[in-house]
Amino acid sequence: MADIDREKLLDIYTRTMKVNRTDEKFRALLMEGKVAVMYYCVRGQELVSAAAMAALEQDDYVVCTYRGQGEQTAKGIPIEKWWGECLGKDTGTCKGKGGTMHITDPDTGIMVTTGVVGSGLPIANGLAMASQNNGDGRVTLVSFGDGAANIGGFHEAMNMAQLYKLPIIFLCQNNRYGEHTAYADHTDSPDISSRASGYGMKGIKVDGNDVNQIYPAMEEAVAHARSGKGPVLVEAMCYRMMGHFFGSDFSYMPPEHLEEMQREDPLPKLRKVMLEHQFTEEELDKIVADIDAEIDGAVEHALAADLPSTDEIYKDVLEETA
Amino acid sequence: MAEITMTEALNKAIDEAMAEDDGVFCLGEDVAAKQGGGVFKVTSGLTEKYGENRIRATPISETAIVGAAVGAALAGQRPICEIMLMNFVGVCMDQIVNHAAKLRFMSGGQTPCPMVLRTTTGVGVGFGGQHSDMLEAWFAHVAGIHVVTPSNAADARGLMRASIDANDPVIFIENILCYGLKSEDPGPGYRVPLGKAAIAKEGSDITLVTYGRTVLDALEVAGELDKEGISVEVIDLRTIAPYDEETVLASVRKTGRAITLHEAVRPFGTGAEIAANIQEKCWDSLKGPVRRIGGTFSAVPFATVLEQAWIPQKSDLAGQIKASVGKA
């Protein structure tokens, strides 16, 4: 597999750490009781979303799920707006009306964040259909988990996308859990990616913890979709290191499996690759420190920001109320 | 001026919108030429003009159809999707209720969803329980959607153009028994604004609020009662949600009496909402309670005799009007 160039590696590393530091900060704020909102932790899945976003162009469309922090911050939503929305403030991307599960920021291509498992796939088809109709060359990427692969909409969307050869990437982040149910307890086939062939679609299964696997796979998928050859189903194997949502019980996750998966943690692995490419410890630490400072500033800004006016409940219902 | 059927009226409105705006396209089961131009022929002839990318025949995948319409609308296009029969919307309610209706609001106004969902239904054609329901109340109950239904061909043309223009999702309900109704063709560019009711017949004794096919029944009964000296004002809502409250309330203040009539079952129907609203806001003008007439609270039956008995009866309508005005 072709080596990833240093510039791209640096880009992926920066995006990955932005996702990770945002996640760490969010959990710290929740633990400290400074905020009390629903949050779906992405620990363990940082690299998949960062590599996927690094393979896209800025104007490509993304549809993600309530566990979409990775796609959102890695795609480049201005973090003050992102934090503002998560804390329900007027300064948020959606004026505090969407919240952690419904982040939208068309400027960075984040078109829908859905709180309904699997619902994003049919919508992503429509975004891709619009691109196909008007020839704008954009690719749409829709991210979802292994649990979503079992709803009807998944199958309908896959079939339709292949039928029309839509420029779309179905990115299944197989984090081994559908809510509180382990993969083996919700699916009796070894993987999701092999379903692609059932639709005549290109399918790729890849280690989402290894940058040298996940990034080239995403690059290949994006090139395939953009060239008009149709959709690709990418199954990125990863692991959700925490419970379904922050604070939820995760005693159903066997500790020995967690320990095993912690050895596959994408972050130390990525750091090792960076060092192999002659990035220094200092350079890498500096990137993280800069990200932390930026996040701290954004959080302070969000905490101090105004709450939305209660008039907002009447606005944006229909165009007449915009 | 030439007459057109409601089918032709809808076809012309869609054709015209597609000619004017490249972003307008249709998708749905069997809608393209290869499949015969739609099960009720509304999209007939359009594939030949605009090609298979803009008249997309889809698999039988209602969730994927509506989802695709939502996504394309978010990207700035104006999709018109067809759900062949209204009962099938049950299969794709998540896309309509959780996504199409809410994405403008939840995004703080950033992603409006300008799509039309065309669907057809109606009691009286022998389709039985799973192809006949009027489910408008489901959608009227969700903020963020327009619900529209025409009762005549001219309105169908104008309402369809206005629905395609709208920057929000529209559920456009076509009654099977109305497809063949003829009106004078209002011509190109004709629009009936959403949210504006029509006073289908003026009257002074009682206001009858209805929409869709039952407007025909209402007009027939009102015509007969005229001969008996009872003057019924018939309001055709045209847009069921958000409805033209101003026209309804003004009429009731004038007549002092009201009845709601719809083909959908009576309990929890839109008539209940309208009746309650009239009683809250026109209490001082009312000379009696607002009555409601709707379909029987059961599945729509198959046998003709049962199906016909299920439909709100014109005799019941006449009887209730007479009782309201004290001439029973």
Side-chain angles (χ1 to χ4, degrees):
Chain A
M1 207 168 277
D3 212 13
I4 308 168
D5 69 41
R6 283 185 97 247
E7 194 185 341
K8 186 50 83 176
L9 264 181
L10 186 60
D11 177 30
I12 297 167
Y13 179 78
T14 306
R15 291 182 202 244
T16 305
M17 295 316 295
K18 200 171 187 179
V19 178
N20 174 256
R21 302 314 296 168
T22 302
D23 186 59
E24 296 284 345
K25 184 73 179 181
F26 216 127
R27 282 186 280 122
L29 290 170
L30 289 162
M31 293 288 278
E32 291 161 15
K34 287 189 178 161
V35 299
V37 296
M38 285 300 287
Y39 178 64
Y40 295 86
C41 178
V42 299
R43 186 69 262 278
Q45 297 177 232
E46 300 93 333
L47 176 64
V48 175
S49 46
M53 296 306 105
L56 295 176
E57 297 296 333
Q58 191 56 41
D59 66 351
D60 287 335
Y61 293 129
V62 173
V63 175
C64 54
T65 73
Y66 51 87
R67 201 184 308 283
Q69 187 264 104
E71 290 80 69
Q72 293 149 10
T73 54
K75 188 78 172 24
I77 294 184
I79 65 168
E80 282 189 359
K81 286 171 74 182
W82 188 87
W83 280 101
E85 190 57 34
C86 289
L87 303 192
K89 298 300 182 75
D90 192 44
T91 53
T93 50
C94 310
K95 302 190 278 187
K97 294 160 84 166
T100 52
M101 281 195 269
H102 310 296
I103 301 261
T104 297
D105 189 58
D107 290 346
T108 45
I110 303 289
M111 300 304 288
V112 181
T113 298
T114 181
V116 185
V117 170
S119 287
L121 288 82
I123 298 175
N125 267 355
L127 290 159
M129 199 179 284
S131 292
Q132 186 180 67
N133 286 349
N134 64 31
D136 65 17
R138 283 173 163 149
V139 161
T140 296
L141 181 144
V142 53
S143 167
F144 53 93
D146 45 302
N150 292 329
I151 78 151
F154 169 94
H155 302 279
E156 292 190 18
M158 298 274 284
N159 180 58
M160 186 180 277
Q162 178 64 20
L163 179 71
Y164 298 140
K165 307 290 182 288
L166 297 177
I168 182 168
I169 293 151
F170 297 102
L171 173 61
C172 177
Q173 300 194 31
N174 187 340
N175 67 15
R176 323 297 169 96
Y177 284 94
E179 303 203 355
H180 302 258
T181 303
Y183 183 86
D185 294 328
H186 71 63
T187 300
D188 195 24
S189 55
D191 52 40
I192 304 296
S193 55
S194 58
R195 295 184 190 182
S197 63
Y199 302 101
M201 189 185 295
K202 183 181 175 65
I204 300 174
K205 184 175 183 176
V206 66
D207 180 355
N209 294 323
D210 178 357
V211 69
N212 286 316
Q213 302 296 319
I214 181 71
Y215 181 72
M218 292 312 307
E219 213 179 19
E220 183 189 346
V222 172
H224 183 94
R226 209 185 300 282
S227 70
K229 291 180 191 154
V232 186
L233 171 63
V234 179
E235 180 180 18
M237 302 308 293
C238 51
Y239 191 75
R240 192 189 78 197
M241 292 191 177
M242 298 206 167
H244 174 49
F245 56 87
F246 181 83
S248 65
D249 167 48
F250 55 103
S251 55
Y252 54 88
M253 297 168 72
E256 59 278 11
H257 190 210
L258 180 57
E259 274 173 37
E260 181 194 329
M261 294 314 297
Q262 276 167 343
R263 287 195 288 277
E264 299 296 315
D265 190 332
L267 299 187
K269 285 185 163 192
L270 176 61
R271 195 171 174 99
K272 188 162 167 278
V273 172
M274 299 301 286
L275 295 172
E276 282 165 9
H277 282 75
Q278 279 74 52
F279 289 99
T280 66
E281 298 271 6
E282 293 71 27
E283 279 175 287
L284 300 179
D285 289 345
K286 170 81 166 50
I287 289 167
V288 173
D290 288 349
I291 291 169
D292 279 341
E294 196 190 352
I295 292 172
D296 287 346
V299 169
E300 269 178 44
H301 181 269
L303 286 170
D306 288 338
L307 295 166
S309 155
T310 53
D311 288 349
E312 282 293 335
I313 58 176
Y314 304 107
K315 295 181 182 169
D316 306 317
V317 177
L318 290 166
E319 184 181 39
E320 298 89 289
T321 62
Chain B
M1 200 179 269
E3 287 201 321
I4 49 168
T5 64
M6 189 182 285
T7 304
E8 290 162 349
L10 294 166
N11 181 275
K12 281 174 187 282
I14 294 168
D15 187 354
E16 203 173 282
M18 290 185 74
E20 284 177 22
D21 179 354
D22 289 344
V24 179
F25 72 102
C26 298
L27 72 163
E29 295 156 16
D30 292 347
V31 298
K34 215 187 276 180
Q35 297 81 20
V39 67
F40 294 103
K41 308 290 176 202
V42 170
T43 45
S44 177
L46 299 179
T47 315
E48 293 83 342
K49 281 190 176 178
Y50 303 106
E52 289 185 346
N53 261 15
R54 291 183 67 196
I55 302 289
R56 286 196 193 234
T58 64
I60 300 174
S61 302
E62 284 80 9
T63 296
I65 293 166
V66 180
V70 171
L74 298 185
Q77 300 219 300
R78 291 188 178 272
I80 304 168
C81 67
E82 178 176 321
I83 295 300
M84 193 183 280
L85 285 148
M86 191 166 203
N87 286 83
F88 308 164
V89 297
V91 180
C92 48
M93 282 300 269
D94 167 57
Q95 290 296 337
I96 302 170
V97 172
N98 288 320
H99 296 91
K102 291 180 184 165
L103 289 175
R104 177 191 281 277
F105 185 87
M106 293 199 308
S107 68
Q110 297 180 97
T111 50
C113 192
M115 57 176 275
V116 179
L117 187 157
R118 288 184 43 242
T119 192
T120 185
T121 187
V123 188
V125 283
F127 283 180
Q130 293 178 346
H131 286 57
S132 308
D133 283 328
M134 281 289 288
L135 302 170
E136 68 276 17
W138 291 8
F139 303 105
H141 193 64
V142 177
I145 314 179
H146 297 276
V147 184
V148 170
T149 194
S151 69
N152 62 73
D155 278 2
R157 184 162 187 168
L159 286 167
M160 179 55 76
R161 272 320 293 274
S163 296
I164 298 168
D165 291 345
N167 290 320
D168 286 297
V170 178
I171 307 291
F172 196 99
I173 306 165
E174 300 161 16
N175 193 301
I176 297 168
L177 289 177
C178 293
Y179 278 128
L181 296 178
K182 287 185 175 176
S183 302
E184 278 197 359
D185 184 0
Y190 182 65
R191 285 164 170 86
V192 171
L194 300 189
K196 282 283 173 203
I199 296 178
K201 178 189 169 298
E202 288 196 15
S204 54
D205 293 329
I206 187 166
T207 300
L208 175 53
V209 182
T210 187
Y211 47 82
R213 197 203 55 79
T214 47
V215 171
L216 306 178
D217 292 349
L219 290 172
E220 190 184 323
V221 168
E224 283 162 13
L225 292 176
D226 264 342
K227 293 172 204 159
E228 298 178 33
I230 300 169
S231 173
V232 182
E233 179 144 299
V234 178
I235 294 182
D236 178 355
L237 284 183
R238 305 196 287 200
T239 299
I240 303 164
Y243 75 96
D244 185 352
E245 186 182 309
E246 196 183 332
T247 296
V248 171
L249 299 183
S251 174
V252 176
R253 288 190 184 109
K254 179 180 80 174
T255 63
R257 297 182 181 91
I259 291 187
T260 64
L261 166 67
H262 51 59
E263 194 173 295
V265 298
R266 198 178 96 126
F268 300 93
T270 59
E273 165 64 21
I274 294 165
N277 199 32
I278 289 170
Q279 299 198 116
E280 276 180 11
K281 293 182 179 157
C282 301
W283 184 247
D284 292 347
S285 314
L286 284 173
K287 297 168 190 164
V290 182
R291 293 166 185 253
R292 290 177 289 143
I293 299 175
T296 307
F297 196 49
S298 73
V300 177
F302 168 71
T304 308
V305 61
L306 298 178
E307 188 185 30
Q308 288 304 317
W310 186 99
I311 301 173
Q313 301 296 302
K314 282 178 266 190
S315 56
D316 186 31
L317 179 54
Q320 295 225 30
I321 291 171
K322 286 180 184 176
S324 287
V325 300
K327 291 186 179 175

